[in-house]
Amino acid sequence: MAAERQRRADEVTSQPQDIAPDINIDWDALMLSSEEIHNDLIATMIAPGAGLIDVEDEDDSDQIFDNIFMPVSEGGDTIDTLDDDSLGKPYTPITRSYQENEAILNAYYIFIHPYFPILPPPVTTLQVDDPMSESKYFEPASPLVMALMAILVLIPHPEDEYPDSDESVCLRRQQAHSFSQMAMESIEIETELLESATNPSEALDHRRPSVDREKLHPCVPVELEGVLAHVLLSIYEYAQRGNLAKMRNRASQAYDAAIRLCLHDISDLSLDEYTEARRRAWWMTYIVVLQSSIVSSTPPIISIDFHQFRTPLPTSPADSDAWSFFIEAQQCILRCTQYTVALKKALDSGLGDSTLDQRKAMLESDLDSVLFRYASSPNEPSTLSPTDPEEHTLAKSLRLQALIKLNSARIKLHRYRAFQDVPIFTRRHCDLDQADVSSPRPLGCSCHAMLPSAFSNTSPQGFQSGGFPGLWSQSPRGVSVDASSDHADALTKNVSITDLPAAKTCLKAALAIGRAFESFPYPNPMQLPLPLPSPPMLSPVSSTPAPRTMPSFACCAMQSCYTLLTLCYKSLEMQCINQRSSAADKGIEDLYAGVGRVLRALQNYAVAFEALNGMVQQVEEALEALKHVRQHNN
């Protein structure tokens, strides 16, 4: 099962450094130090399972919110989470392999390109994915092909009878890691100069030698393959291995290699068959460099302002705005992440959050501007060539990724005002704090049992007895209530949402993230006519759903889940002092449905990527906790 194959890393936190209580915030000083980056952020995600979701018809978030928090409120329905079916039956696991570069390239366009377009559009019509078994092993020569295989081998083989078994998962993990190491070694060999070993004094007089081997793609020069391999492996280290340090390292290596090739400025080059490849190589490098900063809450090694670079954005005949929307959204979410880092520093040093109001207003305006500029979807093309559907699917994917990122950025801006950032997860996820689970306390339908730790020295832990992992494990910053206060008055004052407009904004954004995940395209390994079932299987004989890949923005899923789960739990707490209502029940059901969309998306990603199982488990545990509380209340 997913929980059984998950390796947990020890959570390490450090106390933030003090800063002077100056209302003029020094943004550079508010960024984490190198020691804090390692202890407080990177060390929390260094092994598989270190945690990193979907969508239905559009909900009326105003009605959902008003149903729960304006009238009296009551509990809702839980979501039946997917059960892992692991029978433990002895068998021989099968992993996918391909016998030629063309088959690997075909698999790239099926499983990776719709979400992570490092290559130009396909030049031929795609074929049905037909992986070989490992008995017909093919060892590629290109570092890019090896990096692609590090991703593709994580996808279960369609003939594997028990792809969730420990044996199969372990074998895929080992082979993926082997391919990633081979890719890095290949890059090292290709960038080595003979003179460096035989005559170092002459080495500096030589340019990097050209690589003499067959190209993977006719429109991709061989020298780009090392850059693209690093870009792929950055996401591999994050989504599969849960290693933020290596994710950032691979992104830095990709950036260095791209700069050496002057990919950031190709304005002097004439247009040729390699132009689109150079554009995509640079801008996907830009994306992963910023992404590594977003997920680790560390300063980027590159300018955030994409206008400073003189390489035009990639083209998209299906949607001329898709790439610019995607790039601008990445820029916005990084700036909002920097805001949350600054906010944490300001609060921990005694400054109020109001000191950052001006910065917050500017960021909110930026989000509105980007959303307004790209609000309208492109018209559907009247005719498509045999290779156009892949780029049309890609354009849709880029837009949805942009929407997910922008809505996650909005949650980052309003989360503290809405919920005081009270932690609900027992592990750190991105910039969400982890809960203190040292003092278990059962929760039930009584004001005393539901009492937050602002009025008690104890805090809830596991859900075995109806508790919720750490929702009230620490007092909200700035809230101090005497423990002898009247319980009902205290709950009325402090368990309710601290800022209703901010909470409503977070709710709208969280539901939008879920809808975007649900609309996300699935891979089409069988090349079925569109639209695809949700999700399609890996083959006609397989019962394994085709997983989406490259979930570099999984932190956005956890932002959505945090918002929806917090609102679910607060609505249950309100039952202790208010009469139940059918409107509130309906609103809570909608909240559960929103969590369910996100969870299903995470579960689909986790079919291939182990690190996401940490996030899946956290959301499933939170839902189970809510289920126990509701049962106890009823």
Side-chain angles (χ1 to χ4, degrees):
M1 292 188 296
E4 294 175 348
R5 54 176 134 104
Q6 176 178 332
R7 292 182 181 176
R8 295 181 177 269
D10 292 336
E11 301 289 348
V12 182
T13 58
S14 62
Q15 293 298 322
Q17 298 177 348
D18 293 335
I19 61 175
D22 185 358
I23 192 170
N24 297 314
I25 300 299
D26 181 352
W27 291 93
D28 292 332
L30 287 173
M31 300 307 291
L32 296 183
S33 67
S34 59
E35 181 180 359
E36 289 174 310
I37 288 170
H38 180 271
N39 292 338
D40 199 36
L41 298 168
I42 295 177
T44 64
M45 297 183 71
I46 56 173
L52 287 179
I53 120 153
D54 233 296
V55 195
E56 189 182 288
D57 294 333
E58 185 164 345
D59 296 302
D60 185 344
S61 56
D62 287 332
Q63 184 175 357
I64 296 173
F65 191 94
D66 293 344
N67 284 345
I68 296 174
F69 297 105
M70 298 306 168
V72 293
S73 69
E74 219 323 307
D77 218 1
T78 57
I79 296 171
D80 293 328
T81 57
L82 299 178
D83 292 325
D84 261 335
D85 183 15
S86 181
L87 302 179
K89 178 182 178 182
Y91 83 110
T92 302
I94 306 172
T95 58
R96 61 176 58 228
S97 182
Y98 298 90
Q99 288 190 295
E100 57 186 5
N101 284 347
E102 289 76 10
I104 295 175
L105 188 60
N106 186 75
Y108 157 80
Y109 280 110
I110 291 174
F111 290 106
I112 300 175
H113 188 76
Y115 320 105
F116 202 73
I118 59 172
L119 297 181
V123 295
T124 60
T125 304
L126 299 190
Q127 305 300 313
V128 173
D129 179 54
D130 187 22
M132 303 291 106
S133 66
E134 60 175 327
S135 60
K136 300 177 181 179
Y137 185 74
F138 163 66
E139 183 171 330
S142 160
L144 176 56
V145 176
M146 295 176 191
L148 288 172
M149 282 303 303
I151 301 295
L152 294 172
V153 77
L154 294 171
I155 302 170
H157 195 288
E159 297 177 10
D160 192 345
E161 190 175 2
Y162 301 111
D164 288 336
S165 68
D166 290 340
E167 298 93 332
S168 181
V169 171
C170 183
L171 184 58
R172 295 200 302 273
R173 179 197 307 155
Q174 292 173 346
Q175 290 199 359
H177 191 54
S178 176
F179 276 119
S180 72
Q181 291 180 315
M182 290 166 57
M184 294 302 299
E185 291 170 1
S186 177
I187 295 172
E188 193 69 24
I189 292 171
E190 290 191 352
T191 56
E192 184 62 53
L193 290 171
L194 179 61
E195 290 84 356
S196 297
T198 61
N199 195 353
S201 64
E202 297 183 5
L204 290 177
D205 296 330
H206 290 75
R207 296 177 60 85
R208 180 179 179 273
S210 60
V211 180
D212 183 19
R213 57 172 165 75
E214 181 184 1
K215 295 186 297 183
L216 172 65
H217 191 291
C219 298
V220 180
V222 175
E223 59 265 24
L224 290 189
E225 293 190 10
V227 178
L228 299 178
H230 279 130
V231 167
L232 278 171
L233 293 177
S234 178
I235 304 305
Y236 163 80
E237 291 292 346
Y238 173 67
Q240 167 57 21
R241 304 188 73 225
N243 192 325
L244 291 185
K246 280 196 173 182
M247 176 197 189
R248 190 170 174 84
N249 188 28
R250 297 291 178 262
S252 298
Q253 290 171 313
Y255 172 69
D256 290 342
I259 292 296
R260 286 199 305 270
L261 295 174
C262 296
L263 294 180
H264 63 295
D265 182 1
I266 62 172
S267 57
D268 294 336
L269 298 180
S270 58
L271 297 178
D272 58 21
E273 70 272 25
Y274 300 138
T275 298
E276 186 67 16
R278 293 189 180 102
R279 292 179 177 184
R280 295 194 181 195
W282 169 251
W283 288 111
M284 290 307 294
T285 299
Y286 172 91
I287 287 292
V288 298
V289 169
L290 265 60
Q291 193 63 35
S292 67
S293 294
I294 292 167
V295 300
S296 60
S297 298
T298 55
I301 61 172
I302 194 174
S303 172
I304 299 178
D305 185 4
F306 64 94
H307 295 294
Q308 293 189 15
F309 305 110
R310 299 183 63 191
T311 294
L313 296 179
T315 59
S316 177
D319 183 352
S320 59
D321 290 332
W323 277 96
S324 53
F325 190 18
F326 179 56
I327 298 293
E328 290 195 48
Q330 186 77 337
Q331 175 182 260
C332 286
I333 192 173
L334 176 54
R335 285 178 169 155
C336 290
T337 300
Q338 292 178 321
Y339 166 83
T340 63
V341 174
L343 178 62
K344 181 179 185 297
K345 282 279 191 176
L347 293 171
D348 289 343
S349 62
L351 297 175
D353 63 322
S354 60
T355 59
L356 302 178
D357 280 351
Q358 184 176 2
R359 177 65 174 171
K360 177 183 174 183
M362 292 173 58
L363 292 171
E364 183 82 13
S365 177
D366 289 343
L367 295 179
D368 291 337
S369 176
V370 173
L371 283 169
F372 177 78
R373 195 155 60 246
Y374 300 108
S376 59
S377 298
N379 296 326
E380 294 288 329
S382 55
T383 59
L384 294 175
S385 73
T387 58
D388 280 347
E390 283 69 40
E391 287 296 289
H392 187 260
T393 299
L394 170 61
K396 176 183 178 180
S397 172
L398 293 178
R399 277 189 170 270
L400 289 170
Q401 290 186 55
L403 287 172
I404 289 171
K405 290 172 185 288
L406 291 174
N407 280 287
S408 179
R410 200 179 295 276
I411 293 175
K412 287 173 179 278
L413 290 181
H414 294 275
R415 198 181 65 213
Y416 175 75
R417 284 282 177 92
F419 313 119
Q420 299 289 298
D421 264 7
V422 175
I424 67 171
F425 298 121
T426 58
R427 307 190 67 184
R428 178 184 293 277
H429 295 279
C430 309
D431 62 350
L432 295 168
D433 286 336
Q434 69 184 92
D436 178 7
V437 296
S438 58
S439 302
R441 176 168 58 87
L443 302 179
C445 189
S446 69
C447 290
H448 177 72
M450 302 293 286
L451 201 60
S453 62
F455 321 109
S456 172
N457 292 324
T458 60
S459 59
Q461 185 192 22
F463 56 81
Q464 293 83 355
S465 57
F468 187 72
L471 179 63
W472 296 111
S473 59
Q474 64 181 41
S475 301
R477 294 185 178 98
V479 176
S480 177
V481 181
D482 192 301
S484 63
S485 300
D486 179 79
H487 290 164
D489 290 343
L491 283 168
T492 303
K493 180 178 179 181
N494 294 290
V495 174
S496 59
I497 303 300
T498 57
D499 187 318
L500 290 177
K504 183 177 288 190
T505 297
C506 289
L507 172 59
K508 290 183 177 181
L511 292 174
I513 290 173
R515 289 191 293 270
F517 270 120
E518 193 171 60
S519 299
F520 230 55
Y522 284 99
N524 190 6
M526 293 185 283
Q527 294 301 291
L528 300 173
L530 301 178
L532 295 174
S534 300
M537 299 297 110
L538 286 172
S539 76
V541 299
S542 174
S543 60
T544 301
R548 303 180 182 102
T549 65
M550 315 310 289
S552 60
F553 47 94
C555 280
C556 301
M558 296 305 285
Q559 297 283 339
S560 175
C561 286
Y562 173 85
T563 297
L564 296 172
L565 289 168
T566 301
L567 291 173
C568 283
Y569 198 77
K570 287 180 180 292
S571 68
L572 292 180
E573 289 179 318
M574 291 173 67
Q575 293 184 52
C576 292
I577 54 175
N578 290 314
Q579 181 181 355
R580 294 185 60 169
S581 73
S582 58
D585 285 345
K586 174 61 169 60
I588 295 174
E589 295 296 335
D590 290 329
L591 293 178
Y592 278 115
V595 179
R597 299 181 189 115
V598 180
L599 177 59
R600 289 190 294 274
L602 281 178
Q603 289 168 331
N604 179 258
Y605 282 124
V607 170
F609 295 95
E610 287 187 78
L612 272 74
N613 279 314
M615 290 187 170
V616 170
Q617 183 183 19
Q618 291 278 279
V619 178
E620 289 178 339
E621 287 180 352
L623 287 171
E624 185 67 15
L626 288 168
K627 177 181 178 181
H628 279 259
V629 172
R630 292 189 65 205
Q631 289 175 344
H632 188 87
N633 290 353
N634 292 332

